[in-house]
Amino acid sequence: MSAESAPTLPTKVSLRVPATTANLGPAYDTLGMAMSIFIELTVEVSDEFSMEVTGEGSEHISRGADNMIVETCRIAFEYAKKPMPPLKFTMHNNIPYRCGCGSSSAAAAAGFVAGMTLSGLTMETQSTEALLSVISKIEGHPDNAAPAIYGGIQLGYKRDDGSVMTYRVPTPPNLSIVLFVPHKLMKASTHVTRELVPQTVSLSDAIHNISGTAILTLALATGELRLLKDASDCLHEQQRSSTLYPHYNACAKAAREAGAVYAFLSGAGPTVCALVTGRRGDLLVQPEEERKAERVAEAMVRAAGAAGVAGRAIITVPSDLGVHLSGTTCIRPDIQYTSI
């Protein structure tokens, strides 16, 4: 490479990372999907450290060095064997906070990739999945980390040697996502929600979830979403909802009755996620009779309210994009990087 085209490290980077919904019912710790709801982050070299946070959950998010984004950015500089300079972090969060929509995975990916870009670090993302391994280790689960990094629907798993891998499962066309999100924070700590999942299960329950995961993956890959009615879980959803989320069963049932092809607990909850098929586009330009997602959203809010849990609905779509730059200084003088 000539001196004129040598990499120049940027002093400012802006990026976006999608929300994710994990498990998708029976595929516990295995499948995850990126959604078109984003953390937006700008990090720039400054004279002193600062952290500005706006948006969802901003009243609960730390502005200090213990913020997940700051911590993972520092880890990236450590991997690059460079000291992290004073940085100004500016984050706007659109992802429901601590609701099972992958806000921690998005934060981990955002901070680490920002640190990679500013430090000049590169990592393997195919044969060894080094980036996924790092984010999974920080956040804990590849089913959230993989779609946050790569977008789409990702099948994440560990090899016998402990390494983490992921492969994309096709996303059915014209798919809308309806989320019911409680107004109040309901989610217990990750430790508590995982303790509700049994460590040992009967052979019949294991077979149930194995077949459910196979049906789920087949339905998504082929677009035969009518199969989803048979992709149910018996390992974690009822265990969590019976203890923590009194709205789940009523909300999921109402979603299906209103036209959703599938409904499940998003991650560890309390958000309930429903999948809706049909023409996809801006809801506001759809004729009334085509607004199936809107009807599902209304039904979910009513059912949860009747169960004593007030909340709101969010209508979105899958995101093909994982973490991506939305703006940066030139990494190479001869190539311009701009928004995707």
Side-chain angles (χ1 to χ4, degrees):
M1 182 180 290
S2 66
E4 289 77 12
S5 62
T8 301
L9 295 181
T11 58
K12 180 178 180 179
V13 60
S14 296
L15 51 82
R16 302 201 307 166
V17 189
T20 55
T21 180
N23 300 326
L24 277 62
Y28 184 70
D29 277 4
T30 302
L31 279 176
M33 176 170 58
M35 302 182 288
S36 295
I37 309 169
F38 297 91
I39 279 180
E40 300 170 359
L41 175 69
T42 296
V43 185
E44 55 189 309
V45 177
S46 182
D47 293 330
E48 60 181 10
F49 166 80
S50 63
M51 181 80 190
E52 178 182 337
V53 180
T54 57
E56 296 274 346
S58 58
E59 67 273 26
H60 304 290
I61 298 173
S62 170
R63 271 73 168 171
D66 60 339
N67 182 287
M68 172 75 83
I69 287 175
V70 180
E71 289 183 341
T72 54
C73 186
R74 180 178 294 106
I75 291 171
F77 273 90
E78 291 173 356
Y79 270 85
K81 296 181 170 54
K82 295 178 181 179
M84 187 172 83
L87 297 173
K88 176 182 178 182
F89 295 82
T90 305
M91 181 188 80
H92 181 74
N93 179 37
N94 294 302
I95 301 174
Y97 178 71
R98 287 190 61 192
C99 285
C101 292
S103 58
S104 60
S105 289
F112 195 86
V113 173
M116 288 179 66
T117 307
L118 294 173
S119 67
L121 175 68
T122 59
M123 300 191 82
E124 172 63 52
T125 59
Q126 186 171 357
S127 60
T128 61
E129 289 286 9
L131 177 58
L132 175 61
S133 295
V134 170
I135 302 301
S136 297
K137 184 177 181 181
I138 294 169
E139 198 280 329
H141 311 292
D143 54 339
N144 269 320
I149 295 170
Y150 298 121
I153 301 173
Q154 296 288 332
L155 173 64
Y157 62 95
K158 286 186 178 180
R159 287 173 164 169
D160 291 341
D161 63 4
S163 61
V164 180
M165 297 296 293
T166 188
Y167 286 94
R168 182 175 287 228
V169 176
T171 303
N174 300 325
L175 192 67
S176 293
I177 300 169
V178 182
L179 303 171
F180 170 77
V181 184
H183 287 319
K184 292 184 179 180
L185 290 179
M186 298 179 66
K187 183 176 178 179
S189 68
T190 300
H191 175 71
V192 170
T193 57
R194 293 188 77 82
E195 274 196 340
L196 295 173
V197 181
Q199 295 299 302
T200 59
V201 299
S202 66
L203 178 60
S204 61
D205 283 351
I207 292 171
H208 180 98
N209 268 58
I210 290 169
S211 61
T213 300
I215 292 168
L216 171 61
T217 307
L218 177 65
L220 294 172
T222 63
E224 292 287 343
L225 299 186
R226 59 186 175 79
L227 299 174
L228 290 175
K229 69 182 187 302
D230 297 321
S232 62
D233 165 79
C234 66
L235 296 185
H236 69 100
E237 290 187 328
Q238 295 306 318
Q239 290 82 347
R240 286 167 165 165
S241 62
S242 63
T243 302
L244 299 173
Y245 311 134
H247 63 288
Y248 170 68
N249 287 321
C251 195
K253 181 174 183 286
R256 291 189 292 267
E257 290 177 347
V261 293
Y262 195 47
F264 54 92
L265 189 67
S266 183
T271 294
V272 182
C273 183
L275 303 184
V276 180
T277 60
R279 292 185 179 179
R280 197 173 82 186
D282 193 324
L283 182 66
L284 296 178
V285 302
Q286 292 178 354
E288 181 67 30
E289 64 273 14
E290 292 185 8
R291 296 185 181 180
K292 189 188 299 183
E294 191 175 71
R295 293 195 295 273
V296 170
E298 292 170 349
M300 294 172 78
V301 171
R302 283 196 304 270
V309 178
R312 59 189 166 122
I314 299 174
I315 300 174
T316 186
V317 295
S319 173
D320 288 334
L321 291 175
V323 57
H324 59 279
L325 298 180
S326 55
T328 182
T329 56
C330 288
I331 298 174
R332 281 189 37 186
D334 59 333
I335 299 175
Q336 180 179 353
Y337 295 79
T338 186
S339 299
I340 296 175

